[in-house]
Amino acid sequence: MNVTAGHTEVFSDALFSDIARYRHKVFVETLGWDLKTRNGEELDQFDRPDTVYVVSQDDEGQVNGCARLLPTTGPYLLGEVFPELMAGLPIPASPDVWELSRFASVDFNQRSSSALAQFSSEVTMALLKSAAAHAVSLGAKRLITVSPIGVERLLRKTGFHTHRAGPPMIIGGHPIFACWIELA
């Protein structure tokens, strides 16, 4: 397993395309999210030059995990799309708070595993720890994430201190919530 973190220029065009196709397969095909896609790739307005990616690849070079880190000092998913998840509290906007989004660790080469069952896998833990370490290297003390409510229990098993930023809400037919992940 190989985990790489950095801005877009760290990744070859081919690998970045693989990441976008992987996101499509996870979020659109597997989880059924209604996201705008193009040519089987899932990218949105938050995939821009200051976006940091953390990507895991198996020994054959296939993407088996990804995460996106966005500074909350600019536009990001929670602040722009889901501000109501903060329950009236101010939207984070600080150099020491980064958003973790588009986190997935589904190894499509292991057909017996479900998307949620893999959350405790070695790949998932390595990816989450790498994303957290990279965020810390960028000055983060906390991560904020928008997640399906089912991920809350799974996050607790990671060893990170996590807690809700506000109560869960049903959005697009799915229960989701904003979650803090403490890094310092």
Side-chain angles (χ1 to χ4, degrees), residues 97-116:
V97 177
W98 283 63
E99 180 183 60
L100 174 67
S101 61
R102 293 302 194 264
F103 185 93
S105 65
V106 180
D107 186 344
F108 290 105
N109 293 325
Q110 293 184 358
R111 302 195 191 287
S112 63
S113 296
S114 72
L116 291 178

Side-chain angles (χ1 to χ4, degrees), residues 16-17 19-21 23-24 35-38 41-47 53 68 102:
F16 194 75
S17 184
I19 294 164
R21 282 194 302 277
R23 283 175 34 176
H24 184 277
L35 301 172
K36 293 180 183 176
T37 64
R38 191 170 142 219
E41 296 184 348
E42 192 280 311
L43 296 170
D44 64 19
Q45 69 269 32
F46 306 110
D47 294 297
Y53 301 92
R68 177 173 70 185
R102 293 302 194 264

Side-chain angles (χ1 to χ4, degrees), residues 45-67:
Q45 69 269 32
F46 306 110
D47 294 297
R48 51 183 199 251
D50 66 333
T51 302
V52 175
Y53 301 92
V54 184
V55 179
S56 175
Q57 294 172 272
D58 65 19
D59 293 337
E60 287 79 43
Q62 298 297 311
V63 174
N64 62 3
C66 68

